[in-house]
Structure formats: C-alpha cells, structure tokens
Amino acid sequence: MTTETVSKKYRFTVEKSNGKNEVLKFLIQWEMILIYIFITFNILLYVLNGDMFTRSYMSIIQAGMDLSFMVFPMIFILLLGDIDVSVGSILALSAMMLGLVYEATGNTVLSIGACLLTGASAGFLNGFIITRFKEISAVIVTIAGMLFYRGVVKIVLDVRSLTAFPDWFGELGYSNFWGLPISLWVFAIFALIFGLVLHKTSYGRQLYAVGKNKDGAYFSGIKVNKVKLITFTLMGLMAAVSAIFYLGRSPSVVANVGEGYELRVIAICVLGGVSTSGGKGKIIGPIIGVFIMSFLDKLMGYNGVQPAARVMAVGILLVVALLAEKIKFKQI
Amino acid sequence: MAILELKNISKNFGGVKALRGVEFELREGEIHALMGENGAGKSTTIKVITGVHQPCEGEIFLDGKKIVVENPKMGYELGIAAIYQHVTAFPHLSITENIFMGREIMNKFNMYDWKTMNTEAQKLLDEIGGDIDAKTTMSDLSVAKQQLVEIAKALSANARILIMDEPTASLTKVECEELYRIAKKLKNDGVSIILISHKFEDVFRLAERVTVFRDAQYIGCWDIDMITQPQLIQAMVGRELTQMYPTKSAVIGEEAFRVVNLSLMGYFRDVSFDVRCGEIVALTGLVGAGRTEVCQSIIGVTSLDSGEIFVENKRVRNHNPNEAYENKIGYLPEDRQLHGLILDMDIIKNTTLVNLDGFSKFGWMQNKEEEKKVVDIAGRMELKAGSLYDNPSTLSGGNQQKVVFGKLLINDTKVLILDEPTKGVDVGAKYAIYEVMNELAAKGYAIIMVSSEMPEVLGMADRVIVMREGRVSSIFDNFNLDQEQILAAALPDYNQ
C-alpha cells in the first residue's frame, strides 16, 4: 500500500519515519555507540596485550557468559518498571540444590531438574508476593528474597563446599563447538529466543505496555499481575540456567556463590540502554553490554588493575555511558 | 485603559506556525475570555505572555510600555500569574509551603518562619473563601480547592493579571459557582483576568469581552452582549454548525444491559438501571455522586459488595477489565492520558492492546493485520495524525480521544461505557465524537455516557439517569427535559 493513497483517503500515513538524517540517526543510536565502545576495547586489548588477544580471545568471552543468561529476563523485569536484586541468591540456591541432589543420587537429569525447579520456584515466590501485596515494591520484596535465599544457602552449606557434579559440566565452561565456545552458542540461541519473544510476541508487547503505563495497560485489559508473575518466574528459571553454566567454570559451590551478580546483571542492562523506570529498551543493547563488561574486566586484569579498582571502573563506565546517552538525546 | 496589549505576535516552532500575527488587548479590571479550538494558539499566547516562550515577531505592552518577558520569573515579578488546567503544585507539601515556595519568610535567625507564613497563607485563603486550612497537604484537597490555592498563591505575589487556563474543566457545578464568585470578586478588586475555556457558561457568565483565535490567527474580539453562542462557535470553527449535536437515527431495540442493586460500601448503594440496544443513556450527577465508581465496578476495576450485572440477559461477573471485554462491555476511561492511552506507544499498538489475542497467532503478533485493522478504524474515526506509527502524545486532545474510541471498536462489544467522552476536547472534535456515538448506537450498541455537561446530556441521551450521593435519584426520558430538572435531582439538598 503506498503512502500517497492512504493519506488521501484518510488523514494520516503508515510511514514509520520521515527519511531525514536516517544514516546519521542509525550511526549514533545507542546500540551503535555500544559497538564503538566494544571495538575500542578490542583495539586497546590488541595494542596493549597482543598475545592475550590472539591466545585467549575465546576465554574472555567465556568468562562473561555464566551471568549473561540472567541479562535477558532482567531486561524484561526492568521493562516492567520493576527490579530483581535476588538473582545472585537464586543462582546460589539453585546451584546448591543441583549439588545436593547430585551428591545424593548421582542422577544428572534429576539434579538439573531440581536446579531449574528451585530457580523457577524462587522467582515465582518473588512474583507472587509482588503481585499479591501491592504495598511492597519489587525492590523491597527482592531485597528480602536476596537475604532469605542466601540465608537458606548459608544455613545448609555453612562452611561446606559441594564439589560433586556431572563431568560434562566442564565442557559448558571451556569447550568449543565449530570454533566457538559452547556457552556462546547457547547464549546466541537464548538471545534469539528472548529477542523474538520481546519484539514479536503478544507477551513482549504487554511488557512494554505495562512498563510505559501500568494503569493504562490494566484498563486496556492486560492482566498485569499475570505478566509480572510470568516474568519473575522466568527470571528465577534463568538464574538456575546461569547456575549450571557457573558450575561449568568453577565446579564447587560455597555459601557466597554469585554474590554481587545481581548488580552486574542490572548494570549490563542499564548500559545496554534499558531504562530502570520501565518501558524503554531493546534486547540488542544489553547483548553488546555483556561483551563490553567482560572485555573491560579482562582488559584491566591483564594490565594489572586490582579487582577493587576494576569494580570502580565499571561504576564509572556506567555513569559516563548513561550521561552520554542523555546528552545525545537532548541535542537531537 | 488597556493594561496588557499584544501586537502582531508571531511564534514558530521549527516549521510549525503556532501564532501568526495575533492581537490581544486586556483592559484593567476586566475578565476577558480567550476561545478557540485546541491548537488554535491559546496556550502559546499564554506562554508568550508569561515568558515561557519568546515571540519571533511582535510586541507586548504593559501599561502602555513595551516590555520583553524573558522568563516566567520575570513575568511573575511584573504581576502576571497563570493558573493551569493541570495544577502544577507540589502535591506532597502543605498549602503554606506551596504558596511561599521560593520566597519563604525568614525569622531573625535566618530560619523559615512557619508561624508567620501559616498566618499569612490562612489570611489569603480566608480572603478568597472556600474554607481551607493552610496546613492541609495539597494532595488531600479536591482539584477545585487546589485551584483556589493556586489563585491565592498568585494573589500573594500581587498579581495584577491572572490567567486561568480551563479552570472549570474538572469542577462540579457547585465548584464552578464557587470559582465564578471568586473570579468576580477578584475583578472587583481590580485584577484583570484572561479566561481560557471551552465552556460557554463560563464565558457568558463571567467575561465582558471575548477574543477568538483560529488556526493560530486572531479572528476577532467582541463584547459578550454583542455575540451569541452560535456566532461564537462559527468564529471558532470557521463553519456554521447548524446544531451542536447530530441527529440520532438509531432504532431502540431490546434490553442489552442491566444492573440490579449494585452496592459498594462508602461509594454507592442499590444502583439499578438498564440500557437497550441502540440507546444512549446518560449517567449524570455531581462529581462525587458515585458515577465513575459505578462504572469502574461494572468493568471490574473495583469490587462490588453486592449486586448483579446482566449482558443480554446473561449474568456476568467481571473481576478485571479483561473479563469485562470478554463479556462484551467496553469502557472509555475518564482520564484519557493516564488510563485511556499509553502515550509513548504508537497509535497502532495502543489500539490493538485491548485484543492482543485477536492479533496474534500462538502469541506471535500479526503486524500486517494490526496495521490493516487500525487503518480502517482510524479512517472511520476521522483521525488526524501524521502517521499511525506516531505516539498519541503528539496528538491533540480530540484526536487522542478518537484513538481511545478506536480501541473500543476493536473488540466485539455490545455495551459501551463512556466516562466523560468529550472532556478536554474542542468543539469540532466533539461533534465528530458525537457522530461516532450515534453511529454506534445505530449499529445496535448500548451506550452509557457519563457526563457532567448538561447540554451534552440533553443533546445526546435518550434517557438520563441522575445520581445523588451514591444512589440513583431519578431516571428521566429525555423529552421536554431541561437542565433545571436534572440539577434538582442531582443536588443533595433538593426535596422531592
């Protein structure tokens, strides 16, 4: 249908954009800027640590993968205008459950099932409390969740560490398939699925609607509580998936596993252009954010920056990046 | 003697001409109405006067001297104050804090002197009347009283020119009267008032003169005694509306909807009425009579203590709007921007939000189908928009409302509950909405229209249900019915 005929008959077009400065707009959109940052880190790594660049490029990517699976559902939760800070604890709880069941039964399927079920249940519990008791905000509920789930892990494990896991877990963390890390393949598959769900399905549409205007969505017949419950459950489930890949890289579970992961995951989402006030963000930004974060971390590590200072650098990057985005939008 | 004069003011925003050489003259101690459809340039004019915008061309004279108002603060210091439609106060602070915001009174220790400020604020409030305590938190007040506080604030800054932007838009009849009284009192005290309003009653009862803008241009200025309502409408829309309400041709059929003894503690009791196919029933009454609450209970936003709802003689229970849609009841919320629309989501997505299942296969959105359907609906609604992929935030009030109406047409509904369908909508767009309502009635929809505007109720409804303090006080057939009868049934102190 041509625009011409539509506008004559009615008084509007179905054109999506005005054609002006298309190229420029494309080049300075946030996702492109993230790509520039990523390329810059690559160049820096190549110049400063040429040997690492050639030798351990894949392991840098692998290092960032275990928490990346939590990034996708976290995008959804932030889109809803909520937040989930309990994911690090859910990861620990799920990993512990996997270890305990495997220790007791030696059954791989059973232990992975227990792990996923534990994560999903913990997420569901978060979502249930958030939707059932509207007086308490998601941040409070999940802070409580963070403390509670972590508490369970600490009581059960105390100073113990679980070390019996299926042998092939190591493959997840360190092996390649067709020249790329297995974890990267899985990441790509999840990225595709979550991207399609967010941008192409009715559920994705509802996420945006609720995040942009909760009341408006409710009056339009969106079941806001159902959407939230699904999303928080999904978050828990993906934290459990992350737990499996975490175990692939460091096959032991102690009580403080995954501490601080929640903030890294949220930081990646925010760096990727997802607004914490809801309704704004795409899947692609945080995907690039995952790589930026692991490259930044390794880049500094190779060049002798202390871990504490590395965390500071991440904080600075976050603020600078967000300021840059705000300023950019003011000028256009 | 003119206190304020605008000569040949033009203002462009990019390529859009918001004002094209407009003229305006305000005399000392007069109430001067400024009318025009939405987008005619009223708000821009106000913003030029108060210093929010700078004119691209033209001159402003205050007391005969040329002035340049560089910013709102300067406007305030020159004695120009504006009270906007959506009150801009700090809702979580007290009235005193609001009134003295930015110019607090200090005591000798250079600390805030709340005692003096409270006394001063109370004095101001007592002056305009309205029985308000200065220590009350702003958000605890009704919209009407918040406006009074804004007026008090303007007076405390010694405003000589007071601009009221649609002050009665969300007020009840009684509250309007209160505002009229205060406006007249201010006028007698020598304050000059610019009144922007869509309501003819405001204009004819208060103003001495009226200036009309249309399409960013000055059309004319008349003494109020020299112009009639039809002439004013003609000046505003630039065409003659033979009547303000289109003729209804719907055939009234069988009962489509019935509620029996709906009750919700503290809001309404024993509300019963029915609506037939093709019928438009107006639900009216003072604000606070429980009209919106009844509607929201019907669609499941709030619960019901007791009572039964029937659609086509089948009992239905709605626990949320989704179930209401499934039970063929559509609802147009009173608050378009908060409940009706998602302002920063494109028109197509907004429209199809009410029936995502219908536009998706196995959860997969069918974008082509969506676009086709919304193009069709937008055409039927005569929507004026740049593109259907624009956000509703870029549309005028009337066109936003057309999008909300479009949402109702997506679903297979039978009963439409329209809560103040023409609130904040200009004359031309109102007419289009009335036409749509009649068209829908003709198609057999049963329509419940909640409205506070008497002429609208009388012009559109087949029957009129009047609510009073949470109960149905009267149901009239709209035949030889007049405003007085309706008002009498709505007023709490009326004895039957």
Side-chain angles (χ1 to χ4, degrees):
Chain A
M1 173 170 347
T2 65
T3 313
E4 190 88 348
T5 53
V6 173
S7 61
K8 255 182 207 162
K9 191 170 168 198
Y10 307 116
R11 299 175 203 183
F12 46 80
T13 68
V14 287
E15 282 248 309
K16 282 189 185 177
S17 51
N18 55 13
K20 265 184 266 170
N21 299 326
E22 278 309 290
V23 179
L24 180 69
K25 263 192 188 162
F26 176 79
L27 287 177
I28 62 166
Q29 64 178 314
W30 186 243
E31 286 77 14
M32 290 306 290
I33 289 174
L34 290 175
I35 289 177
Y36 305 147
I37 297 176
F38 180 61
I39 292 172
T40 310
F41 285 174
N42 269 289
I43 295 171
L44 279 176
L45 188 69
Y46 185 77
V47 173
L48 296 173
N49 319 83
D51 54 332
M52 287 298 174
F53 187 85
T54 43
R55 230 170 349 109
S56 15
Y57 198 82
M58 286 308 155
S59 74
I60 298 174
I61 292 176
Q62 278 169 332
M65 283 298 120
D66 52 347
L67 60 75
S68 71
F69 304 105
M70 293 192 281
V71 169
F72 303 116
M74 187 63 86
I75 297 171
F76 290 9
I77 283 180
L78 294 179
L79 279 177
L80 286 172
D82 288 329
I83 199 163
D84 188 342
V85 293
S86 70
V87 294
S89 298
I90 296 180
L91 184 148
L93 189 68
S94 312
M96 179 187 82
M97 209 54 141
L98 199 159
L100 290 175
V101 173
Y102 192 76
E103 202 176 63
T105 65
N107 186 324
T108 312
V109 177
L110 207 61
S111 52
I112 289 180
C115 169
L116 297 178
L117 187 68
T118 305
S121 310
F124 180 85
L125 185 61
N126 281 342
F128 179 76
I129 297 172
I130 288 163
T131 50
R132 185 74 183 76
F133 306 101
K134 296 218 169 52
E135 297 78 12
I136 326 174
S137 67
V139 62
I140 302 298
V141 172
T142 56
I143 284 175
M146 172 174 87
L147 300 171
F148 180 80
Y149 303 137
R150 179 68 62 188
V152 172
V153 174
K154 286 197 167 161
I155 289 169
V156 174
L157 287 186
D158 200 2
V159 292
R160 250 182 95 196
S161 73
L162 300 173
T163 48
F165 294 103
D167 297 334
W168 55 270
F169 271 21
E171 308 277 318
L172 294 178
Y174 295 109
S175 293
N176 287 358
F177 179 71
W178 279 1
L180 293 175
I182 289 178
S183 53
L184 185 62
W185 283 108
V186 180
F187 175 76
I189 293 167
F190 272 121
L192 188 69
I193 294 173
F194 275 86
L196 289 174
V197 165
L198 180 59
H199 296 301
K200 294 288 173 195
T201 67
S202 138
Y203 168 68
R205 185 73 61 84
Q206 294 178 45
L207 287 174
Y208 280 109
V210 172
K212 283 170 190 287
N213 180 349
K214 188 156 65 73
D215 293 335
Y218 179 66
F219 272 90
S220 300
I222 304 288
K223 291 170 182 159
V224 177
N225 284 348
K226 191 176 150 194
V227 173
K228 285 195 174 186
L229 202 56
I230 290 173
T231 311
F232 275 93
T233 308
L234 187 64
M235 180 79 246
L237 182 69
M238 290 305 287
V241 172
S242 270
I244 296 171
F245 281 84
Y246 176 88
L247 292 173
R249 287 176 43 74
S250 54
S252 78
V253 176
V254 289
N256 66 350
V257 155
E259 256 176 0
Y261 269 34
E262 56 282 337
L263 296 181
R264 295 192 62 139
V265 169
I266 293 165
I268 288 171
C269 292
V270 174
L271 179 67
V274 181
S275 160
T276 48
S277 49
K280 282 201 185 75
K282 295 183 200 151
I283 201 96
I284 189 80
I287 290 178
I288 309 165
V290 166
F291 294 106
I292 289 182
M293 281 296 186
S294 56
F295 271 77
L296 177 65
D297 200 49
K298 288 292 178 201
L299 183 63
M300 289 188 295
Y302 293 152
N303 291 288
V305 182
Q306 290 175 10
R310 278 187 251 165
V311 177
M312 283 170 66
V314 171
I316 293 168
L317 174 75
L318 205 58
V319 172
V320 172
L322 290 182
L323 278 178
E325 196 199 12
K326 288 276 184 304
I327 292 163
K328 181 171 75 83
F329 278 115
K330 256 185 210 158
Q331 282 169 348
I332 296 172
Chain B
M1 163 76 191
I3 181 168
L4 179 77
E5 234 179 318
L6 268 58
K7 281 193 178 152
N8 197 27
I9 298 278
S10 293
K11 174 74 190 172
N12 302 335
F13 293 106
V16 181
K17 289 189 162 65
L19 291 177
R20 289 188 278 191
V22 303
E23 312 275 327
F24 186 76
E25 185 208 60
L26 181 68
R27 291 183 194 145
E28 189 136 24
E30 83 164 338
I31 300 181
H32 193 138
L34 184 55
M35 294 188 86
E37 291 193 279
N38 289 345
K42 295 164 303 191
S43 296
T44 313
T45 306
I46 296 314
K47 285 177 178 162
V48 166
I49 296 173
T50 52
V52 176
H53 294 321
Q54 301 307 311
C56 298
E57 269 172 55
E59 292 166 324
I60 304 174
F61 295 90
L62 187 71
D63 297 321
K65 277 188 297 242
K66 190 180 166 194
I67 56 161
V68 177
V69 192
E70 283 166 8
N71 52 49
K73 188 163 183 282
M74 191 170 162
Y76 226 72
E77 280 158 8
L78 288 167
I80 303 168
I83 296 157
Y84 293 102
Q85 195 177 343
H86 300 288
V87 180
T88 47
F90 304 93
H92 301 301
L93 300 183
S94 75
I95 293 175
T96 307
E97 285 168 296
N98 266 285
I99 289 180
F100 287 99
M101 181 60 67
R103 45 193 185 84
E104 290 83 357
I105 299 170
M106 301 295 185
N107 63 17
K108 57 187 170 195
F109 303 113
N110 206 23
M111 311 254 271
Y112 289 166
D113 186 353
W114 290 117
K115 211 172 150 198
T116 315
M117 281 192 270
N118 273 326
T119 323
E120 287 295 314
Q122 194 61 53
K123 223 190 282 172
L124 281 164
L125 292 170
D126 293 344
E127 220 168 275
I128 57 170
D131 188 27
I132 310 171
D133 180 3
K135 286 175 192 156
T136 322
T137 305
M138 215 47 182
S139 56
D140 290 343
L141 297 175
S142 64
V143 175
K145 296 213 160 154
Q146 288 186 18
Q147 272 178 349
L148 295 188
V149 172
E150 289 291 316
I151 293 174
K153 186 179 172 184
L155 294 181
S156 76
N158 295 318
R160 299 162 60 211
I161 298 171
L162 189 62
I163 300 164
M164 300 168 123
D165 191 357
E166 296 218 43
T168 59
S170 41
L171 302 194
T172 61
K173 196 90 187 152
V174 178
E175 290 167 339
C176 284
E177 293 296 335
E178 182 70 11
L179 192 86
Y180 293 160
R181 186 184 66 72
I182 289 162
K184 281 186 179 151
K185 180 176 178 301
L186 292 175
K187 180 186 108 117
N188 291 335
D189 293 345
V191 179
S192 314
I193 298 174
I194 302 173
L195 172 76
I196 296 179
S197 180
H198 283 310
K199 288 193 191 166
F200 290 110
E201 192 179 358
D202 296 352
V203 173
F204 280 95
R205 284 192 47 188
L206 284 178
E208 278 132 59
R209 291 191 301 160
V210 53
T211 293
V212 173
F213 286 178
R214 182 176 77 223
D215 299 332
Q217 280 171 310
Y218 170 82
I219 298 301
C221 176
W222 295 269
D223 284 336
I224 205 75
D225 309 330
M226 306 299 284
I227 191 162
T228 62
Q229 200 168 311
Q231 284 170 325
L232 258 181
I233 291 175
Q234 199 191 338
M236 273 191 280
V237 298
R239 62 182 180 272
E240 193 141 8
L241 285 180
T242 44
Q243 57 194 111
M244 279 180 69
Y245 303 95
T247 330
K248 187 162 175 276
S249 60
V251 182
I252 295 177
E254 289 175 6
E255 178 193 292
F257 181 71
R258 175 159 46 101
V259 294
V260 182
N261 292 330
L262 298 184
S263 297
L264 178 62
M265 190 70 169
Y267 294 97
F268 52 85
R269 261 182 85 179
D270 297 335
V271 174
S272 303
F273 60 86
D274 65 301
V275 191
R276 284 168 280 171
C277 293
E279 192 180 33
I280 297 178
V281 169
L283 188 57
T284 189
L286 306 175
V287 170
R291 300 164 307 172
T292 295
E293 288 80 0
V294 168
C295 294
Q296 296 202 343
S297 288
I298 291 173
I299 62 152
V301 170
T302 42
S303 57
L304 279 169
D305 290 339
S306 60
E308 294 172 342
I309 301 165
F310 298 88
V311 176
E312 294 176 313
N313 281 319
K314 215 180 81 205
R315 172 131 194 234
V316 299
R317 287 187 179 84
N318 305 320
H319 299 97
N320 54 50
N322 191 295
E323 290 181 13
Y325 291 133
E326 275 166 16
N327 290 322
K328 297 189 172 185
I329 302 172
Y331 178 64
L332 180 127
E334 179 182 8
D335 194 329
R336 172 168 67 232
Q337 310 217 333
L338 204 61
H339 298 147
L341 290 169
I342 292 169
L343 287 173
D344 54 349
M345 192 158 169
D346 69 48
I347 295 170
I348 292 181
K349 287 180 183 164
N350 257 289
T351 313
T352 54
L353 202 57
V354 288
N355 190 3
L356 288 175
D357 288 345
F359 291 97
S360 56
K361 286 194 183 119
F362 307 110
W364 203 260
M365 292 308 297
Q366 306 291 307
N367 295 334
K368 280 284 157 214
E369 268 176 47
E370 276 187 284
E371 186 178 294
K372 214 171 120 220
K373 181 78 181 174
V374 178
V375 164
D376 174 48
I377 285 180
R380 271 167 70 193
M381 297 300 307
E382 293 181 15
L383 181 73
K384 285 184 215 167
S387 157
L388 291 183
Y389 287 99
D390 285 348
N391 292 337
S393 54
T394 62
L395 303 177
S396 69
N399 279 304
Q400 285 184 355
Q401 193 71 322
K402 287 178 186 174
V403 176
V404 189
F405 255 92
K407 290 170 69 175
L408 297 178
L409 305 183
I410 289 275
N411 278 332
D412 173 31
T413 46
K414 189 78 209 166
V415 184
L416 298 181
I417 301 174
L418 314 175
D419 201 344
E420 302 280 2
T422 63
K423 188 176 177 184
V425 166
D426 59 77
V427 178
K430 262 187 190 177
Y431 194 82
I433 287 172
Y434 294 142
E435 278 184 326
V436 172
M437 284 170 63
N438 279 346
E439 188 192 313
L440 292 173
K443 283 198 178 133
Y445 283 91
I447 298 176
I448 300 163
M449 174 183 78
V450 176
S451 176
S452 299
E453 273 191 64
M454 296 284 179
E456 178 173 278
V457 168
L458 292 171
M460 289 300 297
D462 296 301
R463 278 187 301 150
V464 180
I465 300 167
V466 185
M467 284 191 67
R468 179 173 73 197
E469 295 181 321
R471 289 163 181 269
V472 171
S473 75
S474 305
I475 298 182
F476 300 104
D477 279 325
N478 192 1
F479 179 73
N480 283 341
L481 188 64
D482 56 35
Q483 296 198 27
E484 285 74 20
Q485 279 171 282
I486 296 177
L487 194 61
L491 287 171
D493 50 359
Y494 175 77
N495 297 314
Q496 267 173 321

